[in-house]
Structures are given as C-alpha cells and as structure tokens.
Amino acid sequence: MSRPTASTSSIEGEPLRPTASAAKAREPMNVLIVGVGGQGVIMVSKALASLAQSKGYQVKQSEVHGMAKRGGTVFSHVRFGPQVWSPTIPKGEADILVALEWAEGLRWLPFLKAETGIFICDTKRIVPPFACLNRRPGAPLRYSRETPAEVRAHVAEGYAIDATRMAEELGNERAANVVLIGALSTALEFSAADWEQALAQFVPKKTIAVNLDAFRLGRNWIEEERTAVDDAEAPLAHIPAPAAAPYNVRLEITPAWCKSCDICVKLCPERCLRLNQERIVELAQPEKCTGCRLCELLCPDFAIRVHLDAVAKEVAAMPGAKA
Amino acid sequence: MIVDSAPAFDVRDYLRLEMMPHFLCPGCGHGIALRALLWAIHELGIDKDKLAVVSGIGCAGRLSAYIDANTFHVTHGRPLAYATGLALARPDLHVVVITGDGDCLAIGGNHLIHACRRNLKLTCLMLNNEVYGMTGGQVSPTTSESRLTTTTPLGNSEPNFDACALAAAAGASFVGREVTHHVPKLKELIRAGLEHPGFAFVEVLSDCTEIFGRKNELGSSAEMVLRQKSELRPSAYRDTVDTPFRSNDLPTGILTKTERPEYGMAYRKAAAAQRANTAARASAGVNERKA
C-alpha cells in the first residue's frame, strides 16, 4: 500500500502529511493503558477516547480484550490528534503509560518515550500464576522486585500511586482505575469538568459519586506529588501474605497398612512418592513435597499422614522464605 | 493447598486400631469414603459415644467394624430398618447407615424407599461400586449396561438404577452424590447430610478395583480413580464409545434438598399427645369414680 505523499502546497490547504517542522504540532498524543483483565483498562481508554473525540480530535483506539478477561494481560492504545494514521503505538512512542498493575506497567515500559514519557502506575500487585510455579508454601514468588524509586530513575517522569488503597478508602476498590484517570488527567489538556462529564457516561449510575471522588483524589494526589520537593518513597501496595506460614512437610507412613495400590504414587502432583522394593510407599523426593495432602486423602488404607511442622522463626525470616 | 481443619484431624482417632489394616482390597474406594465420613464427623464435633453406625452385609457393610463408635453390623439389606428403630428410640444419637449398592437397592430396596418416605433423621451412605464384591463379583442393580461380572459373562444386559433419582422420588429430603476422587467435596457433602434435619441419602461412587475393575480391564486403582474425574466431563463427551461405565455428565453434589417434617419429631409429638390424652382420661375416670 502506498504511503500518503507529503504535500506542502498551500493551495491544497493543510498538508496531508506533516513536514518536519510542523510534525511536532501534528503528531498524535499516544496514551497506552495497561493492566490485568477485570481492572477496567478498557473503561479508562473508552473514557479518554470519547473525551478526545468530543473535543474534535481524530481518535484511534486499539485494544485486546475477550480472552484476557479476568486475570490476563490487557492493553489499550489510545491515539488522538488532528490526524491519526495507525491505531497502534509504536515501541518507544507512547507519551503516557498508565498501568493499573505494577508488573504490567514494567512490562510495557519500552513503549514509553525515553526523554519525555510519563509513567503513571498503580502499585497494586496481582501475582500471575506463572510467577508462583514453585508451589511449595513460602517459596519466593517470581514477581518483579523493582521498587518504585528504581523505576522512576529510568523514566522521564514517573508516579507510583497506591490507587487501589485510595479507592478502597473511598469505599470501592474497583474505582482504582478512576483514581488513575485522575492522575492521567493532569498530563492532558482537557479540563477537569470535561473529564468528570466523560466519566459519568462510562461508570455505572450507582457508582458515579464514588468515581468522581476517586477522580478528584487521583488528580490532587498527582498535584501534591509534583509540588513535593523531597522524593518521598511511595510504599509498595500490601501483598497478601501466603495463606499458610512456611512449614516443613513430614510424611508419617504406616508400612503395615499400605497395600501397594499405587494411588498415592500415581496421583501425587509432584511425583515425589514411590513404592520401595517391598512395594510399600515411601517419600522419594522430600524436597519436592508441598504437603498438599492428596496422598493422605486418597489413601484407602490410611497408611499416610501428612504433618506440616511449623518452621523455626529464624529460618522463616530468611530471605527467600517469603516474598 | 488444602490447609484447613485437616491438620487437626487424624483418622486414626476414629478407628479401631486393633482391627487395622482393614480387609478391603488394595485401592478399594470404600476406604476413601470411610475417611470422608470420619472427617465430616470430626468437623461436626460429634462425640464418638453419640455416634451410631449401622451397616449391612458386603464390603461396605464391613466398614462399621473399623469405626471406633457404637456400631451395628446387621442382616443383609436391613441396616435402614435397624437404624429406624434405633433413631426412634434414641433421638440423641447421630445414626449413620453405611450400605452398599446391592445391600441398599436390591436386598434392602424396600427398606430404602420407606425410609425415604418417612423422613426420619438418618444419614444413609450408599457406597456404590457397581458390583457385589465380597461374594465374588455378581451383577448388582447399579452395574452399568454391557459391564462384565461373574454372572454376566457376556456383559450386563439390564439397565441400571439411578439410586439418587430413586431416593428423591421416594421422598428423601436430602439427596447427594459424589465420587471418591474428590475427598474434600465428599466430606462437605456428608457433612451437609449429617447436618440435615431429616433423611439424608448420599451416594458415593466408589471403585471396586480387584473384582469389577480387573474383570472390565479398567486399569490400576490409580487409573480408576482418575477415570472418575474424566467421566465427570460435560455431555459433549457423552458419546465416547468405550466408556459405558458411567454416563459422562454425571451430576454430583447436593441434588435434592427439601424441608419436610421430620418423622421422629412428629412421632414423639403424636405419642406425647396420646399419652396426655390417656392420662387425662385416666384421671377423669378416677375423678368420676370418686364422685
């Protein structure tokens, strides 16, 4: 497909394609919104797109949805300006990156403009299943360990907001995305009143009040953050502790009761049991056992009992035992 | 992760250890069902002295012998009849009936439907392994069509019973079904049955590995346990040719739960009214004579 040819003729009116000098003014504003399915990424991008459209801009938006619902990675490109050619933002071209989840924000950082990009990120951490492949209780998560300060050092302008906590304090955790809209609104030229009008269209009627509060909260937070001189560290959002305290697993096997039926060996999710030479079950790889109790529950002969012994405190406090 | 009340629960606290190991074959699902029952009893905090287990004849009937509580091992097919008398005489007891598919549906079929009809507070645990295991693997009322047993060497030609539908139709106010693979769910179901104020019928789909499984080449005990899971698939898989064992879209969980007057309570009320009536008449008679 041929690209539109550049034309500088004044007779033809506006040039179809900006010249180098006019490029700056005619370049679209690129806003990339990312998060985890269910957080409201699409809603944020819809509000922004409709607002920009109502202001007479050409808007192109491109998103992923559907399969990413409820826990998958979701992104939405919003581009608006006098003329927008492509709906997707090239790598390194996003003016603003709004992330509703911490690791998703980090994942999309390469899309941000290196010199001028603004990074607005919720410090909410949603640990995906593949970051906890080691199912042993207390095992370290493979979730990103970057602190907000480290990230801010890498971007031109970065804000780490604990928007989820702020929304929770307002009474509805789901308004966290609107807190981020509030933060985003300060980086764009639209007035607060316009934003609030656009928001009211996109949130459920019953929650308009809390969402407008959330919007103002986010907006004020950013302004305070800008005026603050010291580089106060935004605390990382609270990560729910593992359901159980770290413990050691010990299997108590009654050899006289085992009838070598093989159920525990075949059904162990970690494959850490085996039948010994006398066809009696034994724990072959104790380090792999997570203490899930499946063998105990499924043993028809009551030959296995799983004990979860609490780990001594100094061991539990060691790095890596808890992430 | 199953980290709940399990750590506090040791099944051995509820077993007659001198009887162990039990006589069931390797891989028999009845042991798993017994654990689920004892786990539910532990969770409800039922005192062993307040628990009465009545069981009939068969592999399932044998289970009562291993429970460290008040247990009756009674005649074939009649555990519900014994339990009815027991529950009426001792309403303070938790009466649990353990019965097998043949015991409950063939020999004791009549007792089952009348127990369902009366709605006496009882928990009937029917362990369905589709075969008479103890007597050598004869066909039972729940044996699926085309299955091989010692009495159906060319494959079972009779349609089988849906025990849950039967119990519900007979008027049981609580009907549930679960497989032994899902032990925590089975425990929850039995627990709900024990808590139900009325007749609770729980069908447990158990595996007979040594007799039924071997005869029908269903694989090792582990494979049979896993098959339970694969056969719980939605009806899209129903037409799989080589799995006539159980219909694939097998409903599990609580199937029926209704509120009906409990028979024991109604009976005691009627008896008390009758007694009061008799006493009133007797005292009236005395007064008349005096006058």
Side-chain angles (χ1 to χ4, degrees):
Chain A
M1 200 179 140
S2 67
R3 294 165 60 125
T5 49
S7 164
T8 48
S9 162
S10 57
I11 302 157
E12 286 176 43
E14 291 283 297
L16 280 171
R17 209 162 163 266
T19 55
S21 57
K24 198 83 181 163
R26 296 194 54 84
E27 257 178 24
M29 188 70 171
N30 297 329
V31 183
L32 181 59
I33 300 141
V34 300
V36 170
Q39 286 193 301
V41 173
I42 307 295
M43 180 265 166
V44 173
S45 64
K46 268 189 194 163
L48 172 60
S50 101
L51 177 60
Q53 202 166 27
S54 72
K55 293 292 162 197
Y57 288 108
Q58 199 180 89
V59 182
K60 281 198 167 70
Q61 190 219 345
S62 166
E63 67 195 25
V64 61
H65 60 242
M67 285 188 295
K69 256 183 190 171
R70 301 278 173 271
T73 172
V74 179
F75 60 85
S76 179
H77 300 246
V78 182
R79 311 186 80 189
F80 61 92
Q83 183 67 273
V84 183
W85 295 109
S86 158
T88 53
I89 302 170
K91 214 169 192 173
E93 288 295 316
D95 294 290
I96 305 172
L97 171 61
V98 181
L100 278 67
E101 199 268 346
W102 184 245
E104 288 300 320
L106 301 187
R107 185 208 299 279
W108 291 91
L109 269 181
F111 275 72
L112 205 56
K113 273 186 187 161
E115 296 84 24
T116 57
I118 304 174
F119 178 55
I120 301 169
C121 191
D122 190 349
T123 51
K124 164 116 181 147
R125 296 163 53 129
I126 299 174
V127 182
F130 48 80
C132 32
L133 278 183
N134 186 344
R135 283 178 283 181
R136 200 179 165 81
L141 297 172
R142 297 196 301 178
Y143 192 88
S144 73
R145 291 184 214 294
E146 285 83 353
T147 62
E150 280 170 7
V151 176
R152 258 183 302 190
H154 283 92
V155 295
E157 196 178 341
Y159 302 98
I161 320 176
D162 197 352
T164 308
R165 186 186 49 78
M166 287 158 82
E168 249 171 37
E169 282 168 9
L170 284 177
N172 192 342
E173 193 195 339
R174 286 184 287 178
N177 59 344
V178 181
V179 175
L180 287 165
I181 293 186
L184 166 69
S185 70
T186 58
L188 297 169
E189 64 206 53
F190 309 117
S191 73
D194 289 337
W195 273 105
E196 293 186 7
Q197 210 180 343
L199 271 179
Q201 286 173 24
F202 284 97
V203 297
K205 282 212 173 63
K206 282 182 194 163
T207 64
I208 287 179
V210 66
N211 275 306
L212 292 184
D213 284 347
F215 173 78
R216 287 167 202 142
L217 198 63
R219 205 174 157 88
N220 294 339
W221 186 89
I222 282 275
E223 271 155 14
E224 276 168 29
E225 183 77 4
R226 275 199 188 131
T227 50
V229 187
D230 62 321
D231 205 359
E233 183 62 28
L236 261 183
H238 171 71
I239 317 160
Y247 48 73
N248 284 330
V249 186
R250 180 167 55 87
L251 252 62
E252 182 188 349
I253 294 168
T254 315
W257 292 6
C258 176
K259 289 180 186 149
S260 335
C261 72
D262 222 17
I263 289 181
C264 54
V265 177
K266 295 260 175 64
L267 268 72
C268 172
E270 310 297 332
R271 298 277 191 269
C272 58
L273 294 167
R274 69 161 177 234
L275 295 183
N276 65 13
Q277 287 169 335
E278 293 164 343
R279 306 271 300 154
I280 300 296
V281 65
E282 66 177 14
L283 184 57
Q285 292 159 296
E287 71 285 353
K288 279 170 80 179
C289 176
T290 63
C292 73
R293 291 183 181 276
L294 201 59
C295 52
E296 180 183 344
L297 294 179
L298 285 176
C299 177
D301 300 293
F302 316 117
I304 305 179
R305 171 135 166 90
V306 178
H307 293 274
L308 308 176
D309 301 330
V311 179
K313 265 193 181 155
E314 58 272 24
V315 184
M318 264 171 63
K322 204 174 172 187
Chain B
M1 276 312 295
I2 305 153
V3 184
D4 46 12
S5 72
F9 168 63
D10 187 350
V11 72
R12 288 172 295 190
D13 295 343
Y14 291 84
L15 292 175
R16 290 181 179 145
L17 295 181
E18 69 278 11
M19 305 280 285
M20 294 294 290
H22 55 54
F23 91 125
L24 300 169
C25 308
C28 175
H30 287 8
I32 306 173
L34 178 58
R35 164 188 292 278
L37 170 67
L38 297 178
W39 191 2
I41 285 166
H42 172 82
E43 279 202 356
L44 289 174
I46 297 172
D47 185 23
K48 283 196 266 189
D49 288 335
K50 290 287 172 200
L51 174 69
V53 182
V54 188
S55 67
I57 300 297
C59 302
R62 181 77 180 170
L63 290 184
S64 67
Y66 302 108
I67 303 174
D68 186 19
N70 307 299
T71 57
F72 282 106
H73 193 179
V74 301
T75 49
H76 204 357
R78 274 80 186 157
L80 279 168
Y82 282 81
T84 300
L86 181 61
L88 277 175
R90 290 288 304 272
D92 57 317
L93 293 182
H94 284 267
V95 183
V96 178
V97 172
I98 304 181
T99 173
D101 47 306
D103 194 47
C104 184
L105 295 173
I107 298 97
N110 213 0
H111 293 293
L112 173 69
I113 55 174
H114 292 293
C116 292
R117 173 175 65 86
R118 280 188 206 107
N119 197 33
L120 182 64
K121 179 158 173 32
L122 273 181
T123 308
C124 176
L125 201 63
M126 191 192 92
L127 307 185
N128 178 2
N129 58 5
E130 302 199 25
V131 77
Y132 285 90
M134 191 187 252
T135 48
Q138 290 84 0
V139 66
S140 96
T142 53
T143 309
S144 302
E145 281 184 71
S146 86
R147 281 302 183 198
L148 305 175
T149 66
T150 47
T151 45
T152 55
L154 302 177
N156 182 21
S157 54
E158 298 172 5
N160 59 351
F161 249 139
D162 181 345
C164 286
L166 174 73
S173 53
F174 181 102
V175 177
R177 180 195 279 137
E178 196 51 78
V179 295
T180 52
H181 186 131
H182 300 156
V183 187
K185 280 178 80 184
L186 178 58
K187 179 259 298 176
E188 288 300 323
L189 181 68
I190 295 175
R191 189 184 157 157
L194 285 165
E195 284 174 322
H196 178 70
F199 185 81
F201 180 81
V202 177
E203 180 185 11
V204 185
L205 296 177
S206 178
D207 289 320
C208 176
T209 51
E210 284 296 312
I211 292 173
F212 190 78
R214 187 182 299 210
K215 191 118 188 147
N216 288 286
E217 295 179 353
L218 296 175
S220 71
S221 24
E223 282 166 324
M224 284 188 75
V225 170
L226 282 173
R227 182 178 282 111
Q228 295 179 345
K229 207 171 182 182
S230 64
E231 294 201 355
L232 284 174
R233 283 183 189 171
S235 50
Y237 295 87
R238 193 193 180 101
D239 296 326
T240 316
V241 189
D242 58 349
T243 54
F245 182 40
R246 283 160 195 155
S247 61
N248 289 323
D249 50 346
L250 184 78
T252 57
I254 299 174
L255 306 177
T256 310
K257 193 167 194 250
T258 52
E259 294 287 325
R260 279 181 59 207
E262 199 265 326
Y263 176 64
M265 199 101 77
Y267 186 84
R268 281 189 293 279
K269 214 169 164 184
Q274 191 64 39
R275 264 196 294 273
N277 200 0
T278 317
R281 239 185 292 159
S283 66
V286 170
N287 289 344
E288 264 171 39
R289 237 173 286 150
K290 273 185 184 167

